[in-house]
Amino acid sequence: ITPDYRDTIKSPIIFEKKYLYQHGLTVNNAFIPRRGTSEVWASYDDSGSLFGFYGYSISNIFQIEFANLARIKNDEIYNNSKANRTLKNTFFSDGNFNNRFGGTLNIFSPDKGDLFWMSLRTTLGREQKSVQGYLFSEILNTFQINEKLALNITPKYAWSGIKSTGGVGLSVIYKINQRLSFSPEINFNLREIDDTNQSMIFKYFINDNRSLDFFITNALGIQDMSQLMKSKEKKIGIRLKLLI
């Protein structure tokens, strides 16, 4: 980072295209909020899982995640393999609390004259009960197909030193109207194909800086590694997001 170097110029976003720049539930996009913007969101589902996030954009191409928090309900996992039991008992056992820190760096974007968005995201953190940590990295790729449709392709990998897992997330964002969008998501687990999971999200834009998600998912959770594991039960939840 060179403090006196000119930042990447980011074009203003009109309200009609807000749908494109909203992060998904289990499959994120490559967009980074404008420099000086705080991104805050909180989520709850009917299993009792809680999630929270606070990120700050120090430039138009780099966001720091100061807090990425999760308390994931001790759900039964769909695939009860030895590797999955090890991961679940280590990071998602009863009373777990996962806190993570990291950042997202934008590499390609139409603001730079590119045809699509690509960003690199990496986080570090640990589960406080087991005092075990893991590294999570993903390559975020976003393609605008037309005025109403966007596609996200996200290879992702979680490495813990105990057991590791990886996969590819795919999502489509469809703009229904100026205030409502629909997004199906799927995460293919390349280590355990039975852990492939799906989500459906309806997003309502309250205004330029506030949105509300209503979702159903069978992913174990919406934070990093938990996106790559499948729960036995589907969960219904809500998420409120603010840009400040």
Side-chain angles (χ1 to χ4, degrees), residues 233-244:
E233 302 295 332
K234 291 184 173 64
K235 293 169 280 190
I236 298 172
I238 189 170
R239 179 172 66 168
L240 174 65
K241 178 181 174 182
L242 309 174
L243 292 176
I244 304 169

Side-chain angles (χ1 to χ4, degrees), residues 36 44 71 74 86 101 106-107 114 130 144 166 224 236:
Y44 174 81
R71 188 179 183 91
N74 192 23
T86 299
F101 171 85
N106 178 249
I107 306 297
D114 303 307
S130 65
Q144 185 171 8
D224 295 355
I236 298 172

Side-chain angles (χ1 to χ4, degrees), residues 124-154:
L124 293 165
R126 68 180 185 182
E127 198 282 296
Q128 295 298 328
K129 183 179 177 182
S130 65
V131 200
Q132 294 293 322
Y134 68 91
L135 170 72
F136 183 84
S137 289
E138 56 185 346
I139 303 173
L140 311 170
N141 300 284
T142 299
F143 304 85
Q144 185 171 8
I145 308 302
N146 55 42
E147 289 299 315
K148 289 193 172 184
L149 197 66
L151 170 68
N152 294 302
I153 304 174
T154 305

Side-chain angles (χ1 to χ4, degrees), residues 19 173-176 179-183 201-203 205:
Y19 80 98
I173 306 173
Y174 177 72
K175 174 186 171 183
I176 298 173
R179 293 196 176 273
L180 190 64
S181 67
F182 170 69
S183 181
I201 305 98
F202 283 94
K203 182 181 291 291
F205 295 91

